[in-house]
Amino acid sequence: MADSNAGPVAPQAPGRARQRAGWWRGHTQIHAALAALVLLFLFNALFTPHFLSVQTLNVNLTQVATTVIVAVGMTLVIATGGIDLSVGALMAISGALAPMLFGHPPFGNAALGVLLAFTVPVLVAGGFGLFNGTLITRFGLQPFIATLILFIAGRGIAQVMTNGQLQTFANAPFQYIGLGRPFGIPFQVILMLAVVALFAWIMARTVFGRYVLAVGGNEAAARLAGVPVQRVKLLVYTISGLLSGVAGLIVIAINSSSDANQVGLNMELDAIAAVAVGGTPLTGGRATILGTLLGALIIQLIRFTLLAKGVPDAAALVVKAAIILLAVYVQRQQH
């Protein structure tokens, strides 16, 4: 028999209800992205010749790996309410610097040259990411304007470094990052999955992950709560730069050449599209690394499908832009 003296049930805390609603919306978007990916896979399995082959799988995974790596960094930036338009240019800078290091190794030590080629370009790209963050936190520039500076100037820096020349090379130890196949699996795919797993764990299990979401959700409230807002922003733009640097090394390793005009071209669009399609709102405050992986796979499969059906690659850019618009529209409707 129920206790008649029991008081009324306390109403649910609005903050907790909002958190649960945000969790549900995020998972709904992941499920929608997963469903779209499955439909694309089934369509190609039925209507695209040789789609269900190991070679096609390897082609799609190796092509999407750099997009995913860059998009993970973009996810963190967008989660804080920002944007990073410089990722493609930072890939070009990293890709231009690496061949200079292993092509002219210090003290004639080839191993040292390869080691420096793996580390220095990535650190330089991270330094430029820190520069972006400094413009935003110290000088109050909007993220769009701050990163637009390197979007324009960064590729020019890479071209000046190489005198506008194509750098070709053959260096097996360095090119392992793009051509290696441990256990038959492309090394860049293993690296991509490691990056996704690491940052999914960081965003879900660490204080830094909660800080990132707090800054993007309500920066003023986060600051009042003691969140180091400026430090968080500096760190996410630095991480974005570092991951862009890694992606630049993978691209030139695959191509056996470095072209400052082409490395990372339009990567900004690919990364933003992957983040938006994956369910991370462009307004910030929420992030899903797994969703970004799914979004990048969807974009890659759409591109593959268009090319397989004879649609020019240039037309795929229009499709990607339309996908971003659709993803933003869906997010606004859900919000």
Side-chain angles (χ1 to χ4, degrees):
M1 186 173 184
D3 185 1
S4 59
N5 294 325
V9 177
Q12 190 178 51
R16 187 169 298 175
R18 281 196 298 270
Q19 284 181 346
R20 262 204 283 269
W23 179 90
W24 179 254
R25 281 198 300 270
H27 281 68
T28 299
Q29 290 170 343
I30 290 178
H31 294 155
L34 184 58
L37 183 62
V38 170
L39 289 175
L40 278 169
F41 183 88
L42 291 176
F43 175 85
N44 282 285
L46 292 173
F47 300 108
T48 302
H50 312 297
F51 178 74
L52 296 178
S53 66
V54 175
Q55 182 180 2
T56 301
L57 176 64
N58 282 339
V59 166
N60 279 289
L61 288 178
T62 53
Q63 288 180 349
V64 82
T66 52
T67 301
V68 172
I69 290 171
V70 174
V72 167
M74 186 72 76
T75 303
L76 270 62
V77 169
I78 289 177
T80 64
I83 197 79
D84 190 352
L85 300 180
S86 68
V87 290
L90 297 186
M91 287 177 63
I93 291 174
S94 175
L97 184 56
M100 297 179 180
L101 293 169
F102 65 71
H104 303 87
F107 313 111
N109 189 324
L112 178 59
V114 171
L115 177 63
L116 292 177
F118 278 130
T119 54
V120 173
V122 175
L123 293 176
V124 169
F128 279 115
L130 180 61
F131 171 76
N132 286 333
T134 301
L135 292 179
I136 294 165
T137 58
R138 302 294 183 185
F139 298 96
L141 293 183
Q142 291 296 318
F144 181 89
I145 301 300
T147 58
L148 185 63
I149 294 172
L150 277 176
F151 172 81
I152 297 170
R155 199 167 294 279
I157 293 172
Q159 291 171 343
V160 169
M161 291 167 58
T162 60
N163 293 319
Q165 301 296 314
L166 175 68
Q167 299 182 92
T168 58
F169 54 85
N171 187 301
F174 173 79
Q175 290 181 266
Y176 190 85
I177 193 174
L179 301 177
R181 289 246 190 315
F183 309 107
I185 304 172
F187 181 78
Q188 68 265 43
V189 174
I190 297 175
L191 185 59
M192 172 193 76
L193 294 175
V195 169
V196 168
L198 172 63
F199 283 95
W201 176 81
I202 288 174
M203 293 302 296
R205 300 294 182 182
T206 67
V207 174
F208 172 71
R210 292 193 288 273
Y211 281 174
V212 169
L213 301 183
V215 170
N218 190 324
E219 183 175 326
R223 186 175 284 107
L224 291 174
V227 174
V229 173
Q230 290 192 347
R231 197 181 311 160
V232 170
K233 288 186 176 182
L234 287 172
L235 193 51
V236 296
Y237 282 95
T238 302
I239 291 171
S240 181
L242 291 170
L243 293 178
S244 298
V246 172
L249 298 184
I250 294 173
V251 169
I252 67 166
I254 293 172
N255 296 333
S256 300
S257 64
S258 174
D259 185 352
N261 292 311
Q262 296 297 322
V263 174
L265 191 63
N266 295 320
M267 181 57 77
E268 302 83 12
L269 180 61
D270 291 344
I272 294 171
V275 174
V277 173
T280 296
L282 300 182
T283 52
R286 198 166 71 246
T288 164
I289 302 296
L290 179 59
T292 295
L293 172 63
L294 295 176
L297 291 173
I298 290 171
I299 299 297
Q300 172 61 28
L301 269 186
I302 289 175
R303 178 175 179 270
F304 175 85
T305 304
L306 292 174
L307 293 177
K309 302 306 176 185
V311 178
D313 194 34
L317 296 176
V318 179
V319 175
K320 290 175 187 176
I323 290 171
I324 294 176
L325 288 175
L326 178 62
V328 172
Y329 173 78
V330 171
Q331 288 175 3
R332 290 178 66 86
Q333 292 299 106
Q334 290 180 343
H335 181 72

